[in-house]
């Protein structure tokens, strides 16, 4: 069944779909046309939509045998972040298969999921099978930037393609995570919100040699120092609490929800799955001020990467306001609120069953993503979004370092495993 998934993944990687942000992109068109051709060959009619030249999205619907069941959305993005060939062992767009891995930019983020989905659809066509429920497929552009040419644009302008979808699956979940002989499989059931803030400090311009108590740069730096030093309180969402309890039980670790930091420290390697999602974060990332070294500027600006947990947005904004100080203001450049999906749902149960059927030793736990995905767009349609792109990974393989990293690669055996799990889940 999975004999062609490796070739599919390699061929998708060979399309350079680099997204540099701000609308600067190689474009997803050739990759989208390849996906559309594979769907067409499997008897699935694709629709290609372009909000701008070469920024191509592919949509399709596979009718289920029971039209009364709610539909499921499977969404994957075709764009990738930039890669410098000089830093890589192989060319990042070679799609080379070596040492049991498919190498290249997008191997795990997320052309692997696109390839696994296409492999499942091809097998259904070859064996004459159909899913029980409608399966909506979306291979989208621009996830690695703002989604304005991809998921967010589709949600705003073409919501009819997602009619009846109750849940969705996509990247960043369902992979094996080895801890001392235990195989955890975290399924994404929440994401921190993403906000980009610009701070502007105003003061009195003047000569750099003269005393100036109204220096905009000084005001801004002091505000940033307060923000950077602030210790955000622990705020446990239901998903994160369930992760701590489930992972702690599986690993034989004492879980004390009144001392979350100590509990996380006892989780060992599994701490990496949760440590960034028990608090909000406010990270200064950009500074701009002045035009000449001997001139004190009248304004200075900074940008913050702000990540918010479900139910904490108002609290965090109030905190930032209290730390700014006089003559420093803020404005949102982007604000995408956090999202979460229920874990006591038939969808989560079915994902768990599909993993356990393939790996009886699997310990499935929900988790919250520290970053963000296109779930923030599709959740606006009332769709419960989950991170479920199943992979079986070898011990010692640093999967979390692969996305956006050098020498990104995905194990061949993991792709075959993923196709089998996806087939079970999508057929349920």
């Amino acid at each position: 069944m999975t004999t062609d998934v490796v070739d599919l993944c390699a061929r998708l990687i060979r399309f350079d779909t680099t997204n540099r942000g701000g609308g600067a992109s190689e474009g997803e068109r050739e990759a989208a046309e390849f996906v559309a051709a594979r769907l067409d060959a499997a008897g699935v009619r694709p629709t290609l939509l372009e909000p701008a030249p070469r920024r191509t999205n592919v949509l399709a619907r596979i009718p289920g045998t029971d039209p009364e069941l709610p539909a499921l959305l499977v969404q994957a993005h075709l764009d990738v972040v930039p890669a410098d060939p000089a830093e890589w062992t192989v060319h990042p767009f070679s799609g080379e298969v070596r040492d049991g891995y498919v190498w290249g930019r997008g191997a795990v983020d997320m052309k692997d999921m696109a390839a696994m989905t296409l492999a499942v659809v091809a097998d259904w066509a070859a064996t004459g099978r159909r899913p029980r429920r409608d399966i909506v497929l979306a291979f989208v552009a621009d996830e690695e930037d703002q989604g304005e040419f991809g998921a967010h644009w589709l949600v705003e302008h073409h919501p009819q393609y997602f009619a009846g979808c109750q849940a969705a699956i996509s990247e960043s979940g369902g992979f094996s995570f080895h801890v001392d002989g235990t195989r955890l499989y975290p399924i994404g059931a929440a994401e921190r919100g993403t906000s980009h803030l610009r701070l502007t400090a105003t003061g009195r311009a003047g000569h750099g040699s003269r005393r100036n108590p109204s220096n905009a740069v000084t005001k801004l730096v002091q505000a940033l120092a307060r923000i950077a030093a602030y210790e955000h309180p622990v705020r446990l969402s239901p998903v994160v609490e369930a992760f701590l309890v489930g992972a702690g039980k599986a690993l034989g670790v004492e879980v004390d929800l009144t001392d979350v930091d100590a509990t996380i420290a006892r989780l060992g390697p599994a701490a990496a799955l949760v440590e960034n999602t028990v608090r909000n974060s406010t990270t200064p990332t950009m500074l701009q001020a002045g035009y000449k070294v001997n001139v004190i500027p009248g304004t200075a600006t900074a940008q913050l990467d702000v990540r918010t947990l479900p139910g904490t947005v108002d609290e965090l904004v109030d905190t930032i306001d209290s730390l700014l100080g006089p003559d420093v203001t803020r404005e949102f450049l982007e604000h995408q609120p956090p999202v979460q999906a229920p874990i006591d749902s038939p969808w989560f149960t079915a994902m768990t069953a599909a993993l356990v059927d393939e790996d009886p030793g699997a310990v499935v736990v929900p988790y919250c993503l520290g970053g963000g995905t296109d779930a923030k767009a599709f959740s606006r349609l009332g769709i419960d979004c989950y991170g479920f792109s199943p992979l079986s990974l070898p011990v010692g393989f640093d999967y979390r370092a692969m996305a956006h990293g050098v020498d990104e690669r995905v194990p061949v055996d993991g792709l075959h495993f993923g196709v089998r799990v996806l087939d079970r889940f999508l057929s349920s």
Side-chain angles (χ1 to χ4, degrees):
M1 176 177 66
T2 61
T3 53
D4 68 340
V5 66
V6 173
D7 179 64
L8 284 169
C9 186
R11 292 178 70 179
L12 283 168
I13 288 170
R14 290 176 194 136
F15 294 107
D16 183 352
T17 54
T18 299
N19 187 344
R20 287 177 287 276
S25 172
E26 296 301 321
E28 296 85 357
R29 179 179 293 172
E30 284 79 13
E33 290 174 344
F34 173 80
V35 168
R38 299 300 302 217
L39 292 174
D40 191 62
V44 178
R45 182 180 178 182
T47 298
L48 278 66
L49 297 172
E50 280 192 350
R54 299 188 53 76
R55 309 310 303 272
T56 317
N57 301 272
V58 185
L59 300 177
R61 182 180 287 257
I62 303 173
T65 58
D66 186 350
E68 299 301 315
L69 292 175
L72 174 73
L73 169 64
V74 181
Q75 52 108 347
H77 64 85
L78 297 175
D79 62 323
V80 298
V81 297
D84 182 356
E87 298 176 336
W88 285 57
T89 302
V90 304
H91 194 282
F93 297 104
S94 67
E96 183 173 338
V97 181
R98 178 198 291 191
D99 302 328
Y101 293 87
V102 184
W103 295 63
R105 176 59 83 223
V108 300
D109 187 15
M110 59 175 302
K111 291 179 177 179
D112 58 337
M113 178 64 165
M116 291 188 294
T117 302
L118 290 173
V120 170
V121 173
D123 186 68
W124 286 349
T127 56
R129 288 186 293 143
R130 285 173 57 193
R132 292 179 59 223
R133 68 186 71 250
D134 282 11
I135 303 295
V136 176
L137 305 175
F139 300 86
V140 305
D142 202 34
E143 190 275 344
E144 296 293 2
D145 193 23
Q146 304 299 322
E148 63 179 308
F149 302 111
H152 285 279
W153 178 80
L154 290 169
V155 166
E156 290 170 10
H157 297 278
H158 297 282
Q160 70 275 13
Y161 285 97
F162 310 103
C165 288
Q166 187 181 86
I169 61 169
S170 189
E171 61 187 323
S172 297
F175 54 88
S176 59
F177 191 95
H178 299 265
V179 184
D180 299 329
T182 298
R183 291 186 301 281
L184 298 177
Y185 285 84
I187 293 176
E191 293 182 7
R192 291 199 299 176
T194 300
S195 298
H196 297 158
L197 265 65
R198 178 161 52 218
L199 307 184
T200 301
T202 56
R204 177 168 54 83
H207 199 288
S209 67
R210 298 178 185 134
R211 180 178 177 274
N212 187 338
S214 188
N215 187 324
V217 174
T218 302
K219 293 177 183 179
L220 180 65
V221 169
Q222 290 172 344
L224 291 176
R226 289 189 292 270
I227 290 170
Y230 182 77
E231 181 73 13
H232 292 277
V234 170
R235 292 288 184 262
L236 284 185
S237 67
V239 169
V240 171
E241 182 174 333
F243 172 88
L244 290 171
V245 172
K249 180 179 179 181
L251 300 175
V253 167
E254 177 191 356
V255 176
D256 181 359
L257 297 180
T258 67
D259 191 349
V260 171
D261 290 328
T263 297
I264 291 174
R266 290 190 287 269
L267 290 177
L273 294 171
V274 70
E275 60 188 358
N276 291 317
T277 59
V278 297
R279 290 179 169 88
N280 297 320
S281 62
T282 48
T283 306
T285 56
M286 297 178 69
L287 293 167
Q288 186 173 10
Y291 58 88
K292 199 170 187 291
V293 69
N294 62 347
V295 178
I296 298 172
T299 62
T301 64
Q303 291 188 35
L304 302 179
D305 184 319
V306 177
R307 305 297 169 125
T308 53
L309 290 165
T312 68
V313 176
D314 291 342
E315 172 192 341
L316 181 61
V317 171
D318 289 344
T319 297
I320 292 173
D321 287 345
S322 72
L323 297 171
L324 291 180
D327 302 320
V328 183
T329 60
R330 61 155 174 88
E331 61 180 314
F332 281 97
L333 301 178
E334 178 188 3
H335 177 60
Q336 296 184 24
V339 299
Q340 57 185 336
I343 55 179
D344 56 345
S345 74
W347 302 106
F348 196 92
T349 299
M351 286 182 275
T352 299
L355 285 167
V356 173
D357 283 348
E358 188 62 33
D359 179 2
V363 177
V364 181
V365 289
Y367 88 122
C368 176
L369 279 65
T373 72
D374 278 335
K376 288 184 173 62
F378 292 111
S379 64
R380 291 162 52 197
L381 297 176
I383 299 173
D384 291 329
C385 296
Y386 297 92
F388 187 66
S389 178
L391 285 173
S392 175
L393 304 172
V395 176
F397 180 71
D398 194 352
Y399 171 77
R400 290 165 62 82
M402 291 293 105
H404 299 198
V406 172
D407 284 345
E408 183 179 353
R409 58 198 182 274
V410 64
V412 167
D413 289 344
L415 289 171
H416 292 299
F417 171 93
V419 173
R420 294 192 296 270
V421 173
L422 271 183
D423 193 0
R424 283 186 172 90
F425 172 65
L426 296 179
S427 300
S428 65

